[in-house]
Amino acid sequence: MSTAAERPPAIAVQAEPRRRGREWLAVWDPEDERSWDSRLAWRTLGITTYNLTLAFITWFLVSAIAPRLNNIGFGLSVSELYWLAAMPGLAGGMLRLVWMFLPPILGTRKLVSLSTLLLIIPLAGWGWAVQDSSTSYPVLLALAFLCGIGGGVFSGFMPSTSYFFPRRKQGVALGIQAGIGNFGVSVVQFLVPWVVGFALLGTASIAPETVVKPAKGLGDSIWLHNAGIVFIPWVIAGAALAWFFLKSVPVQASMSQQLDIFRNKHTWIMTALYVMTFGAFSGFAAQFGLLIKNLYGGFPGAPDPLAFAFLGPLVGSAARVAWGPLCDKFGGAVWTVVAGVGMTVSTIFTALWLSPASVGEFKWFVAGMLGIFFFAGVGNASTFKQMPMIFERRQAGGVIGWTAAIAAFGPFLFGVGLASISPVVFFGGWTVFFTLCVWLAWHFYARKGAERPS
């Protein structure tokens, strides 16, 4: 196994003759200051980040809709709601296994623009489905699965962006893209409770849904269909921006060539570390509202789940953006260890408030959850700094896509776990996993004499 110092420097890549044209760059080497086009790189980052935010909004749309479905007459059980919120995670993980291979094949322009247009399908689908409370549960599950498109595109967008930046700037660039993209979780969970309160311009002809099960903050009617419809114009705009303003880097790799990442043990170690960070972030983000409702919803004066659900993703996303520059300065490995320790301690603390005796314990539960989200955000930034340092450029793109694909199963694993076992046991199991990941990060990457310091 070669060390980081022994790996060859990045070299310029050239497009094959069949790919020459307006879209494909002929030569591209971001490690060469003389030829690197920083304006193109940052423009690419801006457009793909905007579209990634829309993708995350779509991916977590169900987490914002599910707590309100029974209020308009759907009558779903606790287990069915957990499964519904889990389905986008299952789809996101599966679809990332597809999207991870697409950047060298489609190129950034086609990949981002066409992927963004696909988001219209689940957004419009949910806008239609919630108008009739007799919509069957299998249909709701299918629409929840389609929301996973928003999770799947991450494994195409992030590697595409990494091609445009030199290694020394990838911590900042990928931290910005993933961090702001993650804000989509907070956007949908914060915005949906507001937009369902009135008729939108252009959709006023659609009758509101009748509230049959009153809840705090709800009147007699809500426009729950707005939750999906409101984002469709922004999706169309994002696809147009990508189509007209993006270029494609001529990084060439066939499907079989991309599979060589699986012969490297560090692919598997970094997969575990990213499951610790993003797997937990996405899993808790998808289930946070339902956890609040199921643990504290039975008390008098119970908190509104949607008034707090957006806070966790907001904190985690902000941490991911803020720690990108720190990871570039100090390296990613040390921050991955810090993140793992912080997540372990926060999870243990939160577990103390999973069997509440009164609503007064809610503030401690929220504080523990926000701690988990904060340190998960730090770890999301640090692991994405590590991967371009551990692997050569083409492999790094593939590893980013693969680890992101596996971690995207977080919402599914969390949903199935919470539907199957008690929250106390569930949190205990993740505490053990976090502890193991701390050792992996320290032993292989952070300690003095580590195999791949990063």
Side-chain angles (χ1 to χ4, degrees):
M1 190 74 66
S2 62
T3 65
E6 293 170 339
R7 288 194 299 276
I11 58 173
V13 288
Q14 295 186 348
E16 296 174 355
R18 63 182 175 85
R19 287 192 163 180
R20 292 191 185 279
R22 185 177 65 85
E23 173 188 349
W24 292 89
L25 299 171
V27 178
W28 183 257
D29 182 10
E31 304 299 337
D32 185 350
E33 283 285 355
R34 296 168 299 178
S35 63
W36 180 52
D37 186 344
S38 62
R39 291 181 61 186
L40 174 60
W42 290 105
R43 184 175 76 211
T44 301
L45 176 66
I47 294 173
T48 55
T49 298
Y50 170 80
N51 285 307
L52 184 62
T53 304
L54 293 170
F56 268 81
I57 285 171
T58 305
W59 194 21
F60 283 84
L61 180 67
V62 180
S63 71
I65 291 177
R68 291 290 186 240
L69 289 176
N70 285 345
N71 296 115
I72 60 173
F74 275 88
L76 303 175
S77 69
V78 170
S79 178
E80 286 175 326
L81 287 171
Y82 274 135
W83 270 97
L84 198 62
M87 194 56 62
L90 174 64
M94 294 172 62
L95 293 175
R96 284 187 180 190
L97 295 175
V98 176
W99 257 268
M100 64 176 283
F101 293 106
L102 298 182
I105 297 173
L106 292 181
T108 301
R109 176 174 173 254
K110 289 189 179 72
L111 176 66
V112 176
S113 56
L114 298 179
S115 297
T116 301
L117 283 176
L118 289 176
L119 301 177
I120 295 175
I121 299 173
L123 292 174
W126 275 102
W128 160 79
V130 299
Q131 295 177 47
D132 184 358
S133 60
S134 66
T135 301
S136 68
Y137 187 62
V139 171
L140 296 180
L141 285 175
L143 288 171
F145 186 90
L146 288 173
C147 284
I149 295 171
V153 304
F154 183 91
S155 285
F157 286 18
M158 294 295 287
S160 289
T161 301
S162 73
Y163 296 154
F164 284 85
F165 287 88
R167 285 191 174 96
R168 68 183 183 281
K169 293 183 179 291
Q170 288 197 13
V172 172
L174 297 182
I176 290 173
Q177 180 169 34
I180 294 179
N182 289 170
F183 275 121
V185 184
S186 292
V187 169
V188 71
Q189 293 177 342
F190 176 79
L191 194 61
V192 164
W194 177 62
V195 300
V196 301
F198 55 89
L200 289 174
L201 181 66
T203 64
S205 61
I206 302 177
E209 290 74 50
T210 301
V211 174
V212 299
K213 185 178 179 181
K216 184 177 180 181
L218 291 183
D220 296 327
S221 301
I222 59 173
W223 287 258
L224 195 59
H225 54 265
N226 287 353
I229 295 173
V230 70
F231 299 109
I232 292 177
W234 303 99
V235 166
I236 294 172
L241 284 171
W243 184 261
F244 290 109
F245 293 103
L246 292 185
K247 300 289 185 179
S248 296
V249 173
V251 174
Q252 305 290 306
S254 66
M255 188 77 74
S256 60
Q257 288 174 324
Q258 295 184 67
L259 293 175
D260 64 356
I261 62 173
F262 299 117
R263 295 193 293 271
N264 190 328
K265 72 178 182 182
H266 293 284
T267 297
W268 304 103
I269 297 171
M270 291 307 303
T271 299
L273 296 183
Y274 199 57
V275 168
M276 174 184 73
T277 58
F278 185 77
F281 170 86
S282 60
F284 279 125
Q287 304 298 337
F288 194 19
L290 288 175
L291 271 173
I292 293 172
K293 181 175 182 178
N294 293 331
L295 293 175
Y296 288 88
F299 294 107
D304 180 2
L306 295 183
F308 293 90
F310 77 95
L311 289 174
L314 179 66
V315 168
S317 301
R320 186 167 194 165
V321 174
W323 253 257
L326 292 174
C327 292
D328 276 344
K329 183 174 182 180
F330 298 105
V334 63
W335 289 115
T336 300
V337 172
V338 169
V341 172
M343 292 181 70
T344 302
V345 173
S346 298
T347 303
I348 294 172
F349 176 82
T350 307
L352 300 176
W353 314 105
L354 298 178
S355 302
S358 71
V359 74
E361 299 177 25
F362 178 67
K363 60 181 177 293
W364 302 113
F365 168 75
V366 171
M369 289 296 299
L370 293 183
I372 296 173
F373 278 111
F374 172 78
F375 286 109
V378 173
N380 286 337
S382 63
T383 49
F384 263 56
K385 171 62 178 179
Q386 286 183 263
M387 284 182 270
M389 304 303 294
I390 295 170
F391 305 92
E392 59 93 6
R393 181 172 296 276
R394 180 187 60 77
Q395 283 194 327
V399 173
I400 287 172
W402 164 258
T403 57
I406 300 304
F409 285 107
F412 176 73
L413 296 175
F414 276 61
V416 172
L418 289 168
S420 305
I421 59 178
S422 73
V424 173
V425 175
F426 180 81
F427 274 64
W430 282 95
T431 298
V432 173
F433 177 71
F434 294 159
T435 303
L436 172 62
C437 288
V438 169
W439 180 85
L440 289 172
W442 173 81
H443 180 77
F444 286 99
Y445 308 118
R447 67 183 175 89
K448 184 178 181 179
E451 186 173 326
R452 290 284 179 90
S454 54

